[in-house]
Amino acid sequence: MTATTSGSDTGRLTTALDPTLQRMLLEPRWERAAPWRAELDRITRVDLAHVVMLAERGIVRREAAAALLAAVTDLRRRNFGPIEGRPAPRGLYLAYEGYLIETLGEEVGGLLHTGRSRNDLNATCLRIGLREPLAELVLRLIRLELVLLNRGRRYGESVMPAHTHFQPAVPITYGHYLVGQAGALAREVEALLSAGDGLASCPLGAGAVGGTSIPIDASRTAELLGFAAPVPNSVDAVAARDLVLRILAAAATLGVLLSRVATDLLLWSTEEFGLLRLPDDLVGSSSMMPQKRNPFVLEHVRGKASAALGAFVAAATAMRGEPYTNSISVGTEATGHVWDALSESTEATTILVKVLSGTTVNASAMERRANDGMTAATAIAEEMVRRGVPFRRAHHEVGLAVRLVLDGAAGSLGEVLADRGHFEAPEDVPDDAARVCAAADYGGGPGPRSRAWAVTQARRSATAHRARLNTWTASWRDADERLARAVAEITGTSPV
C-alpha cells in the first residue's frame, strides 16, 4: 500500500478538520475588508438620515439635500472607492466630508455637518456598528441552547457520575448535565439581550456635548436609523459608553461558562475517562506522534472565551478616572476592545455547537464509572433515613461500608449493610446508579419528571430569546426601508 501524504489522512485520522473551523482556527487571517469601509458605511447611513431630517425640517433646501443624498448614495454604491487613499490628517470623517465639498462645492457639501458634531456622530455609529456582531453572537448562542436541549433529551437516560472536587459524587445522566448547561446559558443570553437593549437609544442630536440651537428633529433621525428614541440628555449621549461595558461584562461572564463546559468535555474525552469521543473532523493529529487525537478545538474555546474578560478590564481601565464628557480614552480607546471580544465569543460558541452536535457518547463507560465510583452511596444513606436511621449515623455506616469494599474486606455495599442489620438482604440496597437517577425526581435531580420540567423551562427561554432577537433585527430592517424611501422621495429616485 502506498503511504499517503494528504493532510486529510494522517493514518490515525481519516478526515480533515471541519471546513468552518479550519478557516476559523488554522488558515492565516489575511487582511479582510478594510475597517475604514465599515466605518464609512455607518457614517454615511447616519448622514443619509441626518440630511433627510434637515430637508424635512426646512433647515436646508431640498435641492441641496437631494444633491447631498445623491452624492452619498453614489459613494456607498461605489464602495467608497473615491475616498480610498485620500489624505486624512484630521481623521476619516473630515477626509470624506472634504471629498463632498470638493465634489459639490461648499454651499452644498458644507451643509452636511449642520447641527451635528463628530462626538454625537461617533456615539451613534458605535451603536449601529454593535448591532450585527451582538445579534450574531446571540443567534449562535440560541443555536447552542437548542443543541444542548436536543442532545439533553437524547441522552436523558445515559447514566454517568457527577463529579465534585474531580471525584465521582452522585449519579446523574449526560442529558441532565446538558440541560443544566442550557439553563446556565439562558441566563447569559438574557444578560446579553438586556445589555443590547441599550442599543435602542440614539445619541444623534447631542452635538459636541450641549445639543444645538438649530431646530433639528432628533426623534426623526432616530426613527430613520432604527432606534426607539433619542437619548434625552446631551451630556449623557456623548459621554456614556456604559453600554460597551455592559456588553463586555455579559460576554465575559458568558466566557466563564463556555470555558468551564469546554474543560469538562476535554476531560471526558481523554483516554483516561473515555466517556466522550469527538469525530475526526473536530480533532487534530500530532506532527510527530502518530497515535494522537488532539481535541484542540476545545482549547480554542477556552482561549477565545477569555477575550471578553480581557476586553472588559481594558475598557473599564481606560474609562475610569476620565471626566464625564466626550473623551478619546472613553469613546475610542475603550470601545476599540469590544469588536474582538464579540468576534471571539461568537467563534467559541460556534465551536461548541459543532463539538456538542458531533460528539459520540460512550454510554456503557459512563454507567460503569458511575457504579464503580459507588456514586449511589448518598442514595443508600437516604434510604436508611427513610427507615428511621438519623442521617449522620447513616452517613457513617455507608462510609464504613465503602471503606470495607475498597479495602477488599467485603464484596459490596449491600453485603456490609445487610450484615450490619440495616437491610434484610444485599439486593435490597439501592446501589444501582440507573435506579438512583430514576428516583431523583426532587430538587432538580435527573429523574424523568424533573428533567422534563427543566427541558420545558429551558426551551421556553430559547423561544423567548429568539423572539427578542427577531424584534431587534426586524426593527433594523424596517428602518433601512424607511430611510431608503425617505431618500428616494427627496432625490426623486426609486428606493433601492
Side-chain angles (χ1 to χ4, degrees), residues 386-433:
R386 282 191 288 270
R387 293 167 181 251
V389 179
F391 177 77
R392 191 51 57 199
R393 187 188 306 164
H395 184 282
H396 174 82
E397 289 291 311
V398 176
L400 173 63
V402 168
R403 178 163 59 82
L404 292 174
V405 171
L406 293 177
D407 289 346
S412 70
L413 299 180
E415 177 184 320
V416 177
L417 294 171
D419 285 346
R420 295 178 67 82
H422 297 296
F423 294 90
E424 294 182 5
E427 55 268 23
D428 294 336
V429 177
D431 60 356
D432 177 70

Side-chain angles (χ1 to χ4, degrees), residues 58-78:
I59 296 170
V60 302
R61 293 178 297 108
R62 289 182 75 88
E63 295 80 3
L68 259 177
L69 293 172
V72 173
T73 300
D74 181 64
L75 270 177
R76 289 173 63 85
R77 190 177 291 121
R78 296 165 68 182

Side-chain angles (χ1 to χ4, degrees), residues 192-332:
L192 281 166
L193 287 168
S194 295
D197 285 341
L199 295 174
S201 299
C202 182
L204 196 66
V209 69
T212 177
S213 60
I214 294 175
I216 63 171
D217 185 352
S219 295
R220 176 58 170 159
T221 47
E223 176 194 14
L224 291 172
L225 292 170
F227 294 96
V231 177
N233 181 278
S234 62
V235 175
D236 190 31
V238 300
R241 295 298 187 275
D242 50 297
L243 166 67
V244 170
L245 291 182
R246 281 195 297 275
I247 290 174
L248 287 175
T253 308
L254 166 70
V256 173
L257 173 63
L258 299 183
S259 179
R260 295 179 72 186
V261 174
T263 297
D264 283 342
L265 299 178
L266 271 170
L267 283 172
W268 296 344
S269 62
T270 61
E271 291 294 328
E272 287 74 13
F273 275 84
L275 306 183
L276 303 174
R277 181 180 177 85
L278 276 64
D280 280 3
D281 67 345
L282 294 178
V283 300
S285 64
S286 165
S287 64
M288 183 178 187
M289 297 167 284
Q291 85 282 9
K292 295 295 294 296
R293 294 184 86 258
N294 299 326
F296 75 102
V297 297
L298 288 168
E299 297 175 47
H300 278 289
V301 171
R302 297 203 297 180
K304 290 177 178 297
S306 67
L309 177 58
F312 174 80
V313 173
T317 302
M319 289 188 198
R320 66 178 304 277
E322 290 296 314
Y324 198 72
T325 185
N326 183 71
S327 164
I328 292 295
S329 294
V330 175
T332 301

Side-chain angles (χ1 to χ4, degrees), residues 341-382:
L342 290 174
S343 175
E344 296 288 89
S345 298
T346 300
E347 291 189 354
T349 305
T350 300
I351 296 170
L352 271 183
V353 167
K354 288 184 174 291
V355 169
L356 288 165
S357 298
T359 294
T360 301
V361 173
N362 188 340
S364 60
M366 284 183 169
E367 187 164 2
R368 183 170 59 252
R369 284 300 305 132
N371 285 316
D372 290 348
M374 290 185 277
T375 58
T378 301
I380 296 172
E382 290 176 344

